[in-house]
Amino acid sequence: MLNYLKHVQYSITFGLTLWLCSGVALAQKKNSATDLIEQAMQGEHRSQYHVARDQYRHPKETLGFFGLQSDMHVVEIWPSKGWYTEILAPVLRDSGKLYAAGFSLTAKHSPNWRKQMQRDFQEKLAAYPAIYDHVVLTELSIPEEIDIAPRGSVDMVLTFRNVHNWMKGDYADEVFAAMFRALKPGGILGVVEHRANPEASVEEMIESGYVTESYVIDLA
């Protein structure tokens, strides 16, 4: 009986120690990611126009809420002019991986303005190799290009203010399916979107560019 009680006491103490150590390690990891986000926000590679928008877009708080860590494999959907890429790329460069799933340069239905924006984005990355040299370029264009990263390989997929565009193109379901395929089981889908009033119709959402929270949740 005495040996049994000693074993139970040891097991409880050992388990508690592991839990405390894990909690401390997680907190340190989170603080490290926060520091890297703050450093990236201050980087000379960032567009001054983009920096001026920090006060409205709150990148540190947003990425912290999603749980971004520096060793994650992450997909950014349609980075456009690279507002968030400027922050994500340096945070993930050394320990993680960033897939930038941009506009297609080859898809039949990709309009010229998207192709030009993608070329500009790639030139932006090429101008700062010390920041962007590890970014993996992929494409997302429904229905031709749907493999935004190796299937089941990424910890997080992020999309910023894109859902209304997919609804307008009538392929939101296909995009969400592509994001699901890329994510690991239990991975994180982070969606930022203009939020409509709860009673807004689908037609009103498409016209205004504001989407209800419940509609996005249903898509996900």
PDB file of all heavy atoms in Angstrom, residues 139-161:
ATOM      1  N   GLU A 139      -0.556  28.883 -56.756  1.00  0.00           N
ATOM      2  CA  GLU A 139      -1.653  29.616 -57.395  1.00  0.00           C
ATOM      3  C   GLU A 139      -2.998  29.081 -56.931  1.00  0.00           C
ATOM      4  O   GLU A 139      -3.138  27.894 -56.633  1.00  0.00           O
ATOM      5  CB  GLU A 139      -1.556  29.518 -58.922  1.00  0.00           C
ATOM      6  CG  GLU A 139      -0.322  30.171 -59.511  1.00  0.00           C
ATOM      7  CD  GLU A 139      -0.308  30.117 -61.035  1.00  0.00           C
ATOM      8  OE1 GLU A 139      -1.149  29.397 -61.621  1.00  0.00           O
ATOM      9  OE2 GLU A 139       0.545  30.799 -61.643  1.00  0.00           O
ATOM     10  N   LEU A 140      -3.966  29.973 -56.884  1.00  0.00           N
ATOM     11  CA  LEU A 140      -5.350  29.571 -56.621  1.00  0.00           C
ATOM     12  C   LEU A 140      -6.240  30.219 -57.667  1.00  0.00           C
ATOM     13  O   LEU A 140      -6.383  31.445 -57.715  1.00  0.00           O
ATOM     14  CB  LEU A 140      -5.795  29.997 -55.226  1.00  0.00           C
ATOM     15  CG  LEU A 140      -7.272  29.737 -54.915  1.00  0.00           C
ATOM     16  CD1 LEU A 140      -7.572  28.242 -54.939  1.00  0.00           C
ATOM     17  CD2 LEU A 140      -7.668  30.325 -53.568  1.00  0.00           C
ATOM     18  N   SER A 141      -6.818  29.383 -58.509  1.00  0.00           N
ATOM     19  CA  SER A 141      -7.754  29.853 -59.523  1.00  0.00           C
ATOM     20  C   SER A 141      -8.733  28.724 -59.799  1.00  0.00           C
ATOM     21  O   SER A 141      -8.345  27.653 -60.269  1.00  0.00           O
ATOM     22  CB  SER A 141      -7.028  30.245 -60.815  1.00  0.00           C
ATOM     23  OG  SER A 141      -7.947  30.671 -61.802  1.00  0.00           O
ATOM     24  N   ILE A 142      -9.985  28.963 -59.473  1.00  0.00           N
ATOM     25  CA  ILE A 142     -11.011  27.947 -59.665  1.00  0.00           C
ATOM     26  C   ILE A 142     -11.510  27.997 -61.107  1.00  0.00           C
ATOM     27  O   ILE A 142     -11.819  29.082 -61.611  1.00  0.00           O
ATOM     28  CB  ILE A 142     -12.198  28.187 -58.696  1.00  0.00           C
ATOM     29  CG1 ILE A 142     -11.707  28.252 -57.260  1.00  0.00           C
ATOM     30  CG2 ILE A 142     -13.261  27.126 -58.868  1.00  0.00           C
ATOM     31  CD1 ILE A 142     -11.052  27.004 -56.727  1.00  0.00           C
ATOM     32  N   PRO A 143     -11.547  26.864 -61.820  1.00  0.00           N
ATOM     33  CA  PRO A 143     -11.333  25.498 -61.333  1.00  0.00           C
ATOM     34  C   PRO A 143      -9.940  24.937 -61.623  1.00  0.00           C
ATOM     35  O   PRO A 143      -9.632  23.816 -61.230  1.00  0.00           O
ATOM     36  CB  PRO A 143     -12.376  24.704 -62.116  1.00  0.00           C
ATOM     37  CG  PRO A 143     -12.403  25.387 -63.451  1.00  0.00           C
ATOM     38  CD  PRO A 143     -12.188  26.856 -63.167  1.00  0.00           C
ATOM     39  N   GLU A 144      -9.071  25.714 -62.305  1.00  0.00           N
ATOM     40  CA  GLU A 144      -7.823  25.126 -62.808  1.00  0.00           C
ATOM     41  C   GLU A 144      -6.792  24.836 -61.718  1.00  0.00           C
ATOM     42  O   GLU A 144      -6.173  23.766 -61.699  1.00  0.00           O
ATOM     43  CB  GLU A 144      -7.183  26.040 -63.873  1.00  0.00           C
ATOM     44  CG  GLU A 144      -8.033  26.266 -65.110  1.00  0.00           C
ATOM     45  CD  GLU A 144      -8.789  27.580 -65.035  1.00  0.00           C
ATOM     46  OE1 GLU A 144      -9.101  28.016 -63.906  1.00  0.00           O
ATOM     47  OE2 GLU A 144      -9.036  28.169 -66.088  1.00  0.00           O
ATOM     48  N   GLU A 145      -6.550  25.804 -60.831  1.00  0.00           N
ATOM     49  CA  GLU A 145      -5.474  25.692 -59.845  1.00  0.00           C
ATOM     50  C   GLU A 145      -6.075  25.617 -58.442  1.00  0.00           C
ATOM     51  O   GLU A 145      -6.577  26.626 -57.925  1.00  0.00           O
ATOM     52  CB  GLU A 145      -4.525  26.898 -59.950  1.00  0.00           C
ATOM     53  CG  GLU A 145      -3.909  27.105 -61.327  1.00  0.00           C
ATOM     54  CD  GLU A 145      -2.889  26.043 -61.672  1.00  0.00           C
ATOM     55  OE1 GLU A 145      -2.453  25.328 -60.749  1.00  0.00           O
ATOM     56  OE2 GLU A 145      -2.522  25.916 -62.854  1.00  0.00           O
ATOM     57  N   ILE A 146      -6.024  24.439 -57.826  1.00  0.00           N
ATOM     58  CA  ILE A 146      -6.642  24.276 -56.509  1.00  0.00           C
ATOM     59  C   ILE A 146      -5.670  23.728 -55.464  1.00  0.00           C
ATOM     60  O   ILE A 146      -6.011  23.647 -54.285  1.00  0.00           O
ATOM     61  CB  ILE A 146      -7.870  23.349 -56.584  1.00  0.00           C
ATOM     62  CG1 ILE A 146      -7.477  21.969 -57.129  1.00  0.00           C
ATOM     63  CG2 ILE A 146      -8.969  23.968 -57.443  1.00  0.00           C
ATOM     64  CD1 ILE A 146      -8.597  20.959 -57.064  1.00  0.00           C
ATOM     65  N   ASP A 147      -4.468  23.356 -55.873  1.00  0.00           N
ATOM     66  CA  ASP A 147      -3.493  22.806 -54.930  1.00  0.00           C
ATOM     67  C   ASP A 147      -2.616  23.933 -54.402  1.00  0.00           C
ATOM     68  O   ASP A 147      -1.562  24.243 -54.955  1.00  0.00           O
ATOM     69  CB  ASP A 147      -2.650  21.722 -55.602  1.00  0.00           C
ATOM     70  CG  ASP A 147      -3.478  20.496 -55.956  1.00  0.00           C
ATOM     71  OD1 ASP A 147      -4.389  20.161 -55.174  1.00  0.00           O
ATOM     72  OD2 ASP A 147      -3.219  19.888 -57.009  1.00  0.00           O
ATOM     73  N   ILE A 148      -3.069  24.547 -53.316  1.00  0.00           N
ATOM     74  CA  ILE A 148      -2.373  25.720 -52.770  1.00  0.00           C
ATOM     75  C   ILE A 148      -1.165  25.330 -51.924  1.00  0.00           C
ATOM     76  O   ILE A 148      -0.299  26.167 -51.634  1.00  0.00           O
ATOM     77  CB  ILE A 148      -3.341  26.576 -51.932  1.00  0.00           C
ATOM     78  CG1 ILE A 148      -3.988  25.733 -50.814  1.00  0.00           C
ATOM     79  CG2 ILE A 148      -4.419  27.177 -52.836  1.00  0.00           C
ATOM     80  CD1 ILE A 148      -4.938  26.513 -49.924  1.00  0.00           C
ATOM     81  N   ALA A 149      -1.092  24.069 -51.529  1.00  0.00           N
ATOM     82  CA  ALA A 149       0.025  23.497 -50.770  1.00  0.00           C
ATOM     83  C   ALA A 149      -0.160  21.990 -50.809  1.00  0.00           C
ATOM     84  O   ALA A 149      -1.245  21.502 -51.138  1.00  0.00           O
ATOM     85  CB  ALA A 149       0.025  24.010 -49.334  1.00  0.00           C
ATOM     86  N   PRO A 150       0.874  21.222 -50.481  1.00  0.00           N
ATOM     87  CA  PRO A 150       0.677  19.767 -50.411  1.00  0.00           C
ATOM     88  C   PRO A 150      -0.478  19.408 -49.482  1.00  0.00           C
ATOM     89  O   PRO A 150      -0.640  20.010 -48.421  1.00  0.00           O
ATOM     90  CB  PRO A 150       2.021  19.271 -49.852  1.00  0.00           C
ATOM     91  CG  PRO A 150       3.014  20.299 -50.291  1.00  0.00           C
ATOM     92  CD  PRO A 150       2.279  21.611 -50.229  1.00  0.00           C
ATOM     93  N   ARG A 151      -1.257  18.457 -49.868  1.00  0.00           N
ATOM     94  CA  ARG A 151      -2.471  18.126 -49.123  1.00  0.00           C
ATOM     95  C   ARG A 151      -2.158  17.661 -47.703  1.00  0.00           C
ATOM     96  O   ARG A 151      -1.260  16.855 -47.485  1.00  0.00           O
ATOM     97  CB  ARG A 151      -3.276  17.068 -49.869  1.00  0.00           C
ATOM     98  CG  ARG A 151      -3.745  17.572 -51.238  1.00  0.00           C
ATOM     99  CD  ARG A 151      -4.752  16.654 -51.873  1.00  0.00           C
ATOM    100  NE  ARG A 151      -5.228  17.228 -53.142  1.00  0.00           N
ATOM    101  CZ  ARG A 151      -6.364  16.910 -53.738  1.00  0.00           C
ATOM    102  NH1 ARG A 151      -7.161  16.010 -53.181  1.00  0.00           N
ATOM    103  NH2 ARG A 151      -6.721  17.467 -54.873  1.00  0.00           N
ATOM    104  N   GLY A 152      -2.921  18.185 -46.761  1.00  0.00           N
ATOM    105  CA  GLY A 152      -2.767  17.805 -45.370  1.00  0.00           C
ATOM    106  C   GLY A 152      -1.434  18.188 -44.759  1.00  0.00           C
ATOM    107  O   GLY A 152      -0.978  17.524 -43.824  1.00  0.00           O
ATOM    108  N   SER A 153      -0.814  19.259 -45.242  1.00  0.00           N
ATOM    109  CA  SER A 153       0.555  19.574 -44.822  1.00  0.00           C
ATOM    110  C   SER A 153       0.705  20.844 -43.990  1.00  0.00           C
ATOM    111  O   SER A 153       1.760  21.042 -43.382  1.00  0.00           O
ATOM    112  CB  SER A 153       1.452  19.706 -46.063  1.00  0.00           C
ATOM    113  OG  SER A 153       1.121  20.883 -46.797  1.00  0.00           O
ATOM    114  N   VAL A 154      -0.300  21.713 -43.950  1.00  0.00           N
ATOM    115  CA  VAL A 154      -0.075  23.014 -43.323  1.00  0.00           C
ATOM    116  C   VAL A 154      -0.840  23.143 -42.011  1.00  0.00           C
ATOM    117  O   VAL A 154      -1.896  22.548 -41.803  1.00  0.00           O
ATOM    118  CB  VAL A 154      -0.442  24.180 -44.268  1.00  0.00           C
ATOM    119  CG1 VAL A 154       0.377  24.105 -45.545  1.00  0.00           C
ATOM    120  CG2 VAL A 154      -1.926  24.228 -44.585  1.00  0.00           C
ATOM    121  N   ASP A 155      -0.270  23.947 -41.131  1.00  0.00           N
ATOM    122  CA  ASP A 155      -0.863  24.183 -39.815  1.00  0.00           C
ATOM    123  C   ASP A 155      -1.942  25.258 -39.846  1.00  0.00           C
ATOM    124  O   ASP A 155      -2.826  25.271 -38.992  1.00  0.00           O
ATOM    125  CB  ASP A 155       0.223  24.619 -38.825  1.00  0.00           C
ATOM    126  CG  ASP A 155       1.363  23.627 -38.741  1.00  0.00           C
ATOM    127  OD1 ASP A 155       1.147  22.551 -38.168  1.00  0.00           O
ATOM    128  OD2 ASP A 155       2.460  23.931 -39.256  1.00  0.00           O
ATOM    129  N   MET A 156      -1.843  26.157 -40.811  1.00  0.00           N
ATOM    130  CA  MET A 156      -2.736  27.317 -40.818  1.00  0.00           C
ATOM    131  C   MET A 156      -2.947  27.815 -42.243  1.00  0.00           C
ATOM    132  O   MET A 156      -2.006  27.847 -43.040  1.00  0.00           O
ATOM    133  CB  MET A 156      -2.128  28.439 -39.957  1.00  0.00           C
ATOM    134  CG  MET A 156      -2.938  29.707 -39.854  1.00  0.00           C
ATOM    135  SD  MET A 156      -2.125  30.956 -38.785  1.00  0.00           S
ATOM    136  CE  MET A 156      -2.337  30.219 -37.165  1.00  0.00           C
ATOM    137  N   VAL A 157      -4.172  28.170 -42.561  1.00  0.00           N
ATOM    138  CA  VAL A 157      -4.498  28.873 -43.807  1.00  0.00           C
ATOM    139  C   VAL A 157      -5.117  30.208 -43.424  1.00  0.00           C
ATOM    140  O   VAL A 157      -6.032  30.263 -42.593  1.00  0.00           O
ATOM    141  CB  VAL A 157      -5.469  28.072 -44.695  1.00  0.00           C
ATOM    142  CG1 VAL A 157      -5.863  28.895 -45.917  1.00  0.00           C
ATOM    143  CG2 VAL A 157      -4.844  26.752 -45.131  1.00  0.00           C
ATOM    144  N   LEU A 158      -4.627  31.281 -44.026  1.00  0.00           N
ATOM    145  CA  LEU A 158      -5.103  32.622 -43.720  1.00  0.00           C
ATOM    146  C   LEU A 158      -5.651  33.284 -44.974  1.00  0.00           C
ATOM    147  O   LEU A 158      -5.062  33.186 -46.047  1.00  0.00           O
ATOM    148  CB  LEU A 158      -3.965  33.487 -43.174  1.00  0.00           C
ATOM    149  CG  LEU A 158      -3.322  33.019 -41.860  1.00  0.00           C
ATOM    150  CD1 LEU A 158      -2.107  33.879 -41.533  1.00  0.00           C
ATOM    151  CD2 LEU A 158      -4.327  33.057 -40.724  1.00  0.00           C
ATOM    152  N   THR A 159      -6.782  33.955 -44.818  1.00  0.00           N
ATOM    153  CA  THR A 159      -7.340  34.746 -45.918  1.00  0.00           C
ATOM    154  C   THR A 159      -7.872  36.055 -45.364  1.00  0.00           C
ATOM    155  O   THR A 159      -8.561  36.077 -44.341  1.00  0.00           O
ATOM    156  CB  THR A 159      -8.440  33.982 -46.674  1.00  0.00           C
ATOM    157  OG1 THR A 159      -9.013  34.852 -47.665  1.00  0.00           O
ATOM    158  CG2 THR A 159      -9.534  33.492 -45.753  1.00  0.00           C
ATOM    159  N   PHE A 160      -7.534  37.129 -46.035  1.00  0.00           N
ATOM    160  CA  PHE A 160      -7.872  38.461 -45.556  1.00  0.00           C
ATOM    161  C   PHE A 160      -8.760  39.178 -46.580  1.00  0.00           C
ATOM    162  O   PHE A 160      -8.327  39.516 -47.671  1.00  0.00           O
ATOM    163  CB  PHE A 160      -6.593  39.273 -45.316  1.00  0.00           C
ATOM    164  CG  PHE A 160      -5.655  38.607 -44.340  1.00  0.00           C
ATOM    165  CD1 PHE A 160      -4.577  37.854 -44.790  1.00  0.00           C
ATOM    166  CD2 PHE A 160      -5.868  38.710 -42.975  1.00  0.00           C
ATOM    167  CE1 PHE A 160      -3.714  37.232 -43.896  1.00  0.00           C
ATOM    168  CE2 PHE A 160      -5.011  38.095 -42.067  1.00  0.00           C
ATOM    169  CZ  PHE A 160      -3.932  37.352 -42.532  1.00  0.00           C
ATOM    170  N   ARG A 161     -10.023  39.337 -46.220  1.00  0.00           N
ATOM    171  CA  ARG A 161     -10.995  40.116 -46.993  1.00  0.00           C
ATOM    172  C   ARG A 161     -11.148  39.613 -48.433  1.00  0.00           C
ATOM    173  O   ARG A 161     -11.071  40.376 -49.388  1.00  0.00           O
ATOM    174  CB  ARG A 161     -10.600  41.599 -46.962  1.00  0.00           C
ATOM    175  CG  ARG A 161     -10.488  42.133 -45.544  1.00  0.00           C
ATOM    176  CD  ARG A 161     -10.313  43.630 -45.466  1.00  0.00           C
ATOM    177  NE  ARG A 161      -9.174  44.121 -46.201  1.00  0.00           N
ATOM    178  CZ  ARG A 161      -8.751  45.391 -46.140  1.00  0.00           C
ATOM    179  NH1 ARG A 161      -9.382  46.265 -45.376  1.00  0.00           N
ATOM    180  NH2 ARG A 161      -7.715  45.784 -46.839  1.00  0.00           N
TER     181      ARG A 161
END
